[in-house]
């Protein structure tokens, strides 16, 4: 570990930048590992005791004006407080992404001469360990606003074929590979967080400190990712045009996120309901379900307020949050009272939910996670191999999350196996992908999503009845970075009698798939690597940049009824523009992340 840095002068601090633009987390000697807990959190960090706080001394010559603190933080999950001379200055952002962040220090806190900066954990009830990196600390004798607005960057994101602005997500990466805080705030068409600017119009203007940056622009899973390096000097006003194109054809399917939250109505996270409207449009979600806890909120007025009604059809739902499980239900009416969430057993719960929504979609959420001391599919409550509740409670839900991008599992296939076991037990259960996002950037809304097969020509006026009917029939594709479509055909010839499984796997150029697994009645039948399959390219980019492939798998004729499932997987995304999350309640210290796509049962 590097020893404490030399004393800093508030007058003579210089802002320095290094040439790293990959976006990947780096652990240099400028960063210090802090640990809250007895055990390491992840295998990328060493075992053994680590410091639980960080202290740095700096000097101030002039305390008549506020100063600005700048630091780097990585992998922060718990509450870490920043203090100067024992006074609270800030709380580190709860965000696992690498960030370059700034806070203003009140002049009354500063002392002439020696000052002490401390970072320490103040989590009241920590759940497990939290290993963070913090460092590159500078104290600058200028106001925050002037630092973040040394230069101006104006960006216009357009769709290639239409040559018109399009809602999008703009990501700003510093030379340290960190999300760079910008000089802008959320407004009627922007949702802003450190290193991220969502725009509902495709246009954004914001301030930046002088330096070298890598700018990305995208629109969720279906679109390409534009990238441009820029060097900005103090006083510059730089204009940048970026083009993106739709690369994943999902015609005939509606992009749905069944698990959408806001700080406004759930009370945690950081996304206001207005910011949520912008992020939904910019991530390409066409059928979002409002599922704040035990309330029923209509997002249509807010979509109209933010001028994004043409991009999606909001649906009223509710994350029905009980002591024995969380269930997303829809469609509902915002004018009706929510169901009684004080019930503590499934028989009464499902009777209540069936009275509330007609026809009801009832999704069992994060079945393998602990909430209120209960794990619905834990060994005390559920016998996974036969898909039955150990208390004799009815399986009253008709859908279940198999991927929740805000609460991923250490074993990416576990919940998919649970779902297939439920099908084997005779339960008609629709698989679901969702984001569970409460935030603007920490967890990306629509990263996990469910594609529902139904008319999709007018995203702002999707038939809720048609979508719900198709959803309940299981006509879906589950996506977390991959779109996996499956068709099953009977084959009869002199040489072969059986079935042919035609699999089509799609992803944009910036997401890679590596493996396909074919299941029959939940049993793994065949595993195919991408390198051994015939590639099928489409689109306008160079063939080497596209990620479409589709093997045809032939299997013997089954002797009994069989359902088939195709699941494709690939490595997770490390870069902050669409980082796939580390496991939410991990079973190990492994940091392996993934992308996944599931066909649904055929």
């Amino acid at each position: 570990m590097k020893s404490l840095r030399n004393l800093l002068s508030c007058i003579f601090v210089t802002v320095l930048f290094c040439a790293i633009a990959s976006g990947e987390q780096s652990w240099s000697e400028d960063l210090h590992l802090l640990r809250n807990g007895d055990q390491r959190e992840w295998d990328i960090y060493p075992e053994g005791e680590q410091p639980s706080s960080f202290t740095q001394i700096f000097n101030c010559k002039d305390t008549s004006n506020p100063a600005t603190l700048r630091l780097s933080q990585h992998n922060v999950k718990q509450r870490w407080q920043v203090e100067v001379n024992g006074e609270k200055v800030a709380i580190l952002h709860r965000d696992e992404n690498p960030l370059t962040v700034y806070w203003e220090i009140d002049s009354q806190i500063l002392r002439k001469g020696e000052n002490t900066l401390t970072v320490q954990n103040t989590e009241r009830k920590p759940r497990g360990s939290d290993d963070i990196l913090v460092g590159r600390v500078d104290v600058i004798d200028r106001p925050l606003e002037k630092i973040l607005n040394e230069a101006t960057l104006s960006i216009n994101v357009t769709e290639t074929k239409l040559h018109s602005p399009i809602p999008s997500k703009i990501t700003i990466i510093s030379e340290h590979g960190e999300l760079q805080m910008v000089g802008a705030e959320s407004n009627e068409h922007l949702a802003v967080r450190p290193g991220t600017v969502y725009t509902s119009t495709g246009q954004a203007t914001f301030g930046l400190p002088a330096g070298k940056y890598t700018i990305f622009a995208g629109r969720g899973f279906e679109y390409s990712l534009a990238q441009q390096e820029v060097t900005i000097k103090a006083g510059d006003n730089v204009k940048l045009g970026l083009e993106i194109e739709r690369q994943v054809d999902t015609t005939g399917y509606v992009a749905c996120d069944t698990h959408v939250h806001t700080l406004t109505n759930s009370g945690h996270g950081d996304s206001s309901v207005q910011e949520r409207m912008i992020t939904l449009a910019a991530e390409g979600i066409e059928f979002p379900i409002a599922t704040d806890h035990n309330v029923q909120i209509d997002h249509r007025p807010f979509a109209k307020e933010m001028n994004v009604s043409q991009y999606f059809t909001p649906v009223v739902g509710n994350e029905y949050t009980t002591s024995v499980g969380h269930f997303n239900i829809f469609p509902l009416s915002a004018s009706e009272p929510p169901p009684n969430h004080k019930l503590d057993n499934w028989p009464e719960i499902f009777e209540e939910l069936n009275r509330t929504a007609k026809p009801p979609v009832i999704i069992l959420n994060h079945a393998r996670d602990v909430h209120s001391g209960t794990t619905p599919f834990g060994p005390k409550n559920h016998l996974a191999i036969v898909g039955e509740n150990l208390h004799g409670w009815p399986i009253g839900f008709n859908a279940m999350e198999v991927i929740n991008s805000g609460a991923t599992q250490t074993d990416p296939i576990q919940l998919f196996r649970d779902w297939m076991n439920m099908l084997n037990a005779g339960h008609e259960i629709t698989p679901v992908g969702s984001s569970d996002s409460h935030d603007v950037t920490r967890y990306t809304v629509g990263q996990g999503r469910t594609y529902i097969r139904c008319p999709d020509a007018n995203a702002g006026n999707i038939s809720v009845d048609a979508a719900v009917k198709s959803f309940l029939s299981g006509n879906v594709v589950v996506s977390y970075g991959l779109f996996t479509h499956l068709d099953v055909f009977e084959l009869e010839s002199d040489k072969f009698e059986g079935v042919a499984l035609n699999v089509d796997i799609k992803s944009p150029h910036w997401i890679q798939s590596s493996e396909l697994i074919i299941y029959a009645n939940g049993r793994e039948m065949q595993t195919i690597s991408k390198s051994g399959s015939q590639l099928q390219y489409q689109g306008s980019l160079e063939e080497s940049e596209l990620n479409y492939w589709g093997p045809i798998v032939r299997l013997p004729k089954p002797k009994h009824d069989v359902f088939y499932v195709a699941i494709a997987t690939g490595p997770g995304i490390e870069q902050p523009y669409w980082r796939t999350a580390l496991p939410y309640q991990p079973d190990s210290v492994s940091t392996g992340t993934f992308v996944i796509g599931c066909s649904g049962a055929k």
Side-chain angles (χ1 to χ4, degrees), residues 39-89:
Q39 306 294 325
R40 65 175 176 173
E41 184 183 14
W42 303 114
D43 57 9
I44 58 175
Y45 301 126
E47 295 181 307
E49 186 176 355
Q50 299 296 329
S52 59
S53 64
F54 167 75
T55 300
Q56 181 163 308
I57 307 300
F58 64 92
N59 277 346
C60 262
K61 293 184 178 180
D62 183 0
T63 61
S64 60
N65 295 303
T68 296
L69 166 66
R70 182 187 66 202
L71 62 77
S72 295
Q73 63 162 80
H74 295 205
N75 212 19
V76 175
K77 185 182 295 182
Q78 297 177 4
R79 178 186 170 94
W80 293 81
Q81 185 161 297
V82 182
E83 299 176 356
V84 172
N85 299 327
E87 297 290 335
K88 174 184 171 183
V89 170

Side-chain angles (χ1 to χ4, degrees), residues 64 243 327 453 542 577:
S64 60
E243 287 190 354
F327 305 89
R453 192 172 187 86
E542 294 295 327
Y577 54 71

Side-chain angles (χ1 to χ4, degrees), residues 279-586:
T279 61
L280 288 168
E283 291 291 343
I285 292 298
E286 301 161 313
F287 200 67
I289 315 300
T291 53
D292 287 306
H293 296 278
N294 297 319
V295 294
Q296 292 163 199
I297 306 299
D298 187 351
H299 280 171
R300 288 176 298 177
F302 302 106
K304 184 177 180 181
E305 174 191 348
M306 305 308 288
N307 198 28
V308 293
S309 297
Q310 67 271 37
Y311 297 115
F312 55 84
T313 300
V315 179
V316 178
N318 181 341
E319 183 166 18
Y320 178 69
T321 306
T322 77
S323 62
V324 291
H326 294 191
F327 305 89
N328 280 348
I329 55 173
F330 68 91
L332 300 172
S333 169
S335 62
E336 295 293 328
N340 177 14
H341 64 276
K342 300 296 186 181
L343 302 176
D344 61 0
N345 64 88
W346 284 13
E348 291 183 344
I349 282 173
F350 294 131
E351 183 179 350
E352 175 81 350
L353 295 185
N354 277 280
R355 285 198 304 264
T356 302
K358 297 182 183 301
V361 172
I362 305 174
I363 304 171
L364 174 63
N365 295 341
H366 31 67
R368 291 257 172 195
D369 294 338
V370 181
H371 289 281
S372 302
T374 299
T375 306
F377 277 15
K380 294 182 179 180
N381 297 312
H382 185 75
L383 187 57
I385 195 169
V386 296
E388 294 296 341
N389 183 277
L390 287 173
H391 305 293
W393 290 354
I395 305 299
F397 51 89
N398 47 34
M400 64 172 284
E401 290 181 340
V402 291
I403 183 68
N404 179 318
S405 59
T408 56
Q409 302 287 306
T410 300
D411 177 359
I413 307 296
Q414 177 64 69
L415 286 166
F416 291 89
R417 287 193 292 265
D418 290 337
W419 162 63
M420 289 186 283
N421 288 337
M422 301 287 287
L423 297 183
N424 278 332
H427 303 294
E428 296 183 2
I429 306 292
T430 297
V432 173
S434 69
S435 73
D436 198 3
S437 176
H438 295 72
D439 313 286
V440 172
T441 57
R442 183 185 179 190
Y443 296 111
T444 302
V445 71
Q447 193 172 41
R449 56 179 68 184
T450 305
Y451 282 94
I452 305 172
R453 192 172 187 86
C454 67
D456 65 334
N458 186 351
N461 191 28
I462 295 166
S463 169
V464 175
D465 289 343
V468 168
K469 181 178 179 181
S470 185
F471 180 95
L472 291 173
S473 298
N475 294 323
V476 300
V477 169
V478 173
S479 176
Y480 179 40
L482 300 173
F483 185 95
T484 306
H485 185 268
L486 172 65
D487 286 315
V488 181
F489 304 95
E490 292 186 6
L491 292 177
E492 290 188 16
S493 68
D494 295 337
K495 296 182 179 180
F496 184 80
E497 184 177 1
V499 293
L501 278 62
N502 187 4
V503 185
D504 186 17
I505 303 167
K506 302 177 182 179
S507 63
H509 69 92
W510 47 278
I511 297 180
Q512 304 296 320
S513 57
S514 57
E515 187 174 83
L516 170 68
I517 308 174
I518 300 295
Y519 294 87
N521 285 353
R523 178 185 175 190
E524 185 175 327
M525 300 296 292
Q526 200 165 41
T527 300
I528 304 166
S529 66
K530 183 175 181 179
S531 59
S533 303
Q534 181 181 1
L535 301 180
Q536 297 178 343
Y537 296 113
Q538 305 173 32
S540 61
L541 291 182
E542 294 295 327
E543 289 189 352
S544 61
E545 296 184 38
L546 288 169
N547 295 314
Y548 296 176
W549 60 296
I552 296 177
V553 178
R554 291 177 173 85
L555 297 174
K557 184 177 181 179
K559 297 179 181 180
H560 46 74
D561 290 342
V562 173
F563 67 84
Y564 298 98
V565 173
I567 298 179
T569 61
I573 307 299
E574 297 293 333
Q575 290 76 13
Y577 54 71
W578 209 77
R579 187 182 184 191
T580 46
L582 297 170
Y584 171 59
Q585 294 180 2

Side-chain angles (χ1 to χ4, degrees), residues 216-239:
F216 295 92
R219 192 170 186 245
F221 157 71
E222 297 180 26
Y223 283 77
S224 64
L225 190 70
Q227 177 179 343
Q228 182 68 53
E229 290 189 2
V230 295
T231 299
I232 301 176
K233 300 186 296 294
D236 280 353
N237 190 344
V238 177
K239 295 183 179 180

